[in-house]
């Protein structure tokens, strides 16, 4: 670990602060009887999905597609997660199934 | 109250609820009889709604605790982070941030982006959380996806105190999440099997939420913009530096395309 304890604490505090800001801000900025600007409403609607897409890509930031296993275990396991989820639609099953499958792949084949 | 309990015939559920109720009764000894009855009734009404979350949060929390443990963090990290951050996906990302170099502003901006959806939850709960006094502060603090999902959709019976009902929904979810993280963090080091690859649980979580959203939306422009801009920026800037450019890119593209997107009906409203 490259950070000192203090730096870790500051990082965690920033994350707490950021999270609390997203939760408290609407209640601070918009008193109950004021209407929300259109652009903010629009961002509220579209940003969550776009940010989720960013998170999915974020998980692949350290996968070397040109070296090692070329990201095959990751791609196959994501496919397993998607198939399981479209087929059964049970969140926990899809997550547990996909993770166990990935662990099996990286521990035995790749 | 007895009627509410009877509806839930699952025995272990019974025991759990009775345990919590006894605990609650002991904790509220100073409060007068009527108020205590009101609080217990709200708890009994709220608990059944949180049982699916109980399973989900304890499972994911354990996975999160084991994951943190596998990265070399002691149990106090997942416990404290679950208590104070209480936003599952961000906590997984936080684990990664803690392993990287010290960039507090980056952490703050990424948090705002990842948790930006809470703004939307807040906007739609402005009315419901009004006039709840001190309870309001905790309710807003604990406004995670699952608490929002329950508190915004459940029709609370008239005889149940709405403020206490929503507090218990939030509090129970908070408790399940911290409990799971604690179990995973504390017992993670005793696990005998090879945990290599456990980090994939984060990818799986995000993919599942993404697929859920994808299937819910009729048009997929926004999801594709998010994916496209992020992948493009990952290729150009590399894994260490791609997040800020991605966020800026997404904001710009969504702002520029606001009109066409609204015209095409890519937005539900």
């Amino acid at each position: 670990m490259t950070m000192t304890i203090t730096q870790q604490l500051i990082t965690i505090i920033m994350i707490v602060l950021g999270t609390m800001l997203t939760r408290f801000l609407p209640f601070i900025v918009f008193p109950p009887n004021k209407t929300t600007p259109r652009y903010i409403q629009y961002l509220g609607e579209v940003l969550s999905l776009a940010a989720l897409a960013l998170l999915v890509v974020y998980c692949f930031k350290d996968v070397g597609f040109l070296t090692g296993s070329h990201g095959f275990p990751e791609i196959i396991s994501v496919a397993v997660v998607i198939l399981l989820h479209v087929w059964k639609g049970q969140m926990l099953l899809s997550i547990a199934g996909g993770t166990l499958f990935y662990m099996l792949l990286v521990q035995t084949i790749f | 109250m007895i009627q509410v309990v009877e509806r839930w015939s699952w025995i272990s559920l019974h025991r759990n609820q009775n345990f919590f109720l006894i605990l609650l009764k002991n904790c509220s000894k100073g409060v007068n009889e009527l108020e205590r009855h009101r609080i217990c009734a709200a708890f009994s009404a709220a608990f059944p709604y949180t049982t699916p979350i109980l399973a989900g949060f304890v499972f994911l929390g354990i996975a999160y605790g084991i994951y943190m443990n596998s990265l070399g963090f002691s149990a106090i990290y997942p416990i404290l982070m679950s208590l104070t951050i209480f936003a599952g996906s961000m906590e997984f990302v936080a684990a990664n941030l803690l392993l990287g170099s010290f960039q507090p502003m980056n952490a703050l901006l990424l948090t705002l982006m990842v948790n930006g959806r809470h703004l939307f939850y807040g906007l739609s709960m402005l009315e419901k959380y009004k006039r709840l006094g001190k309870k309001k502060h905790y309710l807003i603090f604990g406004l995670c996806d699952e608490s929002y999902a329950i508190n915004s959709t459940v029709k609370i019976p008239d005889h149940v105190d709405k403020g206490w009902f929503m507090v218990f929904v939030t509090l129970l979810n908070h408790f399940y999440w911290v409990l799971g993280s604690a179990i995973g963090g504390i017992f993670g080091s005793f696990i005998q099997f090879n945990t290599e690859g456990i980090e994939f649980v984060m990818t799986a979580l995000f993919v599942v939420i993404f697929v859920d959203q994808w299937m819910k939306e009729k048009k997929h422009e926004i999801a594709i913009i998010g994916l496209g801009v992020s992948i493009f920026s990952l290729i150009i800037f590399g894994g260490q530096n791609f997040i800020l450019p991605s966020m800026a890119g997404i904001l710009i593209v969504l702002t520029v395309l606001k009109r066409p997107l609204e015209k095409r009906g890519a937005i539900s409203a």
Side-chain angles (χ1 to χ4, degrees):
Chain A
M1 270 168 237
T2 51
M3 280 191 221
T4 63
I5 298 279
T6 320
Q7 289 177 329
Q8 286 184 342
L9 263 180
I10 293 173
T11 305
I12 294 174
I13 290 170
M14 291 310 250
I15 296 167
V16 173
L17 202 75
T19 307
M20 287 314 125
L21 206 61
T22 61
R23 288 181 185 167
F24 278 91
L25 200 62
F27 295 88
I28 298 167
V29 178
F30 302 109
N33 43 16
K34 217 172 121 190
T35 48
T36 325
R38 287 276 303 129
Y39 179 63
I40 301 296
Q41 280 182 24
Y42 167 77
L43 281 187
E45 257 170 79
V46 292
L47 266 190
S48 56
L49 185 55
L52 193 59
L54 169 62
L55 276 185
V56 172
V57 176
Y58 179 83
C59 296
F60 288 86
K61 74 177 169 49
D62 295 322
V63 177
F65 287 97
L66 304 174
T67 54
S69 55
H70 300 281
F72 281 127
E74 285 79 10
I75 292 169
I76 302 169
S77 306
V78 165
V80 168
V81 173
I82 296 174
L83 284 177
L84 263 178
H85 201 63
V86 172
W87 179 37
K88 289 285 185 185
Q90 288 185 318
M91 189 172 184
L92 294 185
L93 178 77
S94 319
I95 294 173
T99 306
L100 288 175
F101 184 80
Y102 178 78
M103 289 170 74
L104 196 77
L105 278 187
V106 291
Q107 288 179 20
T108 58
I109 300 170
F110 290 95
Chain B
M1 192 170 71
I2 292 161
Q3 283 164 338
V4 178
V5 175
E6 267 171 4
R7 278 219 321 269
W8 295 86
S9 52
W10 190 20
I11 290 176
S12 66
L13 212 70
H14 249 156
R15 283 200 193 127
N16 268 336
Q17 192 162 17
N18 287 338
F19 167 74
F20 283 126
L21 271 177
I22 291 163
L23 200 74
L24 201 67
K25 276 178 185 152
N26 284 326
C27 290
S28 57
K29 277 214 166 107
V31 188
N32 72 54
E33 192 62 33
L34 198 73
E35 176 71 3
R36 203 198 301 176
H37 181 78
R38 236 157 53 98
I39 295 172
C40 289
F43 180 86
S44 296
F47 179 69
Y49 286 104
T50 66
T51 48
I53 318 290
L54 169 64
F57 271 17
V58 170
F59 168 81
L60 266 181
I62 290 176
Y64 173 63
I66 295 176
Y67 174 56
M68 287 294 281
N69 189 279
S70 75
L71 295 177
F73 292 104
S74 69
I76 192 73
Y77 282 86
I79 295 172
L80 262 184
M81 285 159 73
S82 292
L83 258 178
T84 55
I85 304 174
F86 191 34
S89 31
M90 194 56 222
E91 287 178 45
F92 276 100
V93 176
N96 276 288
L97 291 177
L98 287 175
L99 289 177
S101 53
F102 181 56
Q103 293 170 309
M105 277 322 281
N106 219 334
L108 180 68
L109 285 171
L110 183 62
T111 310
L112 291 180
M113 189 79 185
V114 170
N115 287 335
R117 64 185 187 286
H118 294 146
L119 291 169
F120 190 55
Y121 299 165
L123 290 176
S124 63
M125 294 305 267
L126 287 174
E127 274 302 309
K128 272 205 157 175
Y129 285 176
K130 238 179 11 184
R131 287 187 292 275
L132 289 177
K134 280 182 198 156
K135 294 190 195 89
K136 183 173 160 182
H137 300 291
Y138 177 68
L139 285 171
I140 300 172
F141 166 82
L143 190 58
C144 67
D145 307 68
E146 288 74 8
S147 303
Y148 169 73
I150 297 176
N151 284 339
S152 66
T153 54
V154 168
K155 172 97 181 62
I156 306 168
D158 285 334
H159 65 276
V160 174
D161 183 275
K162 294 192 171 41
W164 278 112
F165 178 94
M166 294 194 286
V167 164
F168 281 126
V169 166
T170 311
L171 190 66
L172 283 167
N173 288 345
H174 199 175
F175 171 71
Y176 304 151
W177 178 240
V178 175
L179 179 72
S181 312
I183 295 174
I186 292 167
F187 296 106
S189 51
F190 299 125
I191 286 171
Q192 292 301 312
F193 63 86
N194 184 355
T195 55
E196 189 195 345
I198 187 86
E199 72 277 6
F200 193 77
V201 71
M202 174 166 94
T203 312
L205 170 70
F206 293 155
V207 169
V208 163
I209 303 175
F210 186 75
V211 170
D212 266 340
Q213 287 298 319
W214 180 280
M215 292 193 297
K216 239 187 263 166
E217 308 273 327
K218 281 200 193 88
K219 304 263 171 95
H220 303 300
E221 282 88 349
I222 292 155
I224 292 167
I225 289 171
L227 280 181
V229 172
S230 308
I231 293 172
F232 178 76
S233 150
L234 176 62
I235 294 169
I236 303 281
F237 297 99
Q240 291 309 308
N241 304 309
F242 87 105
I243 290 162
L244 278 181
S246 300
M247 295 193 287
I250 287 173
L251 261 180
I252 292 169
V253 173
L254 286 177
T255 304
V256 170
L257 294 182
K258 181 172 180 281
R259 234 163 252 273
L261 280 173
E262 281 172 333
K263 252 190 197 151
R264 281 182 56 87
I267 298 136
S268 43

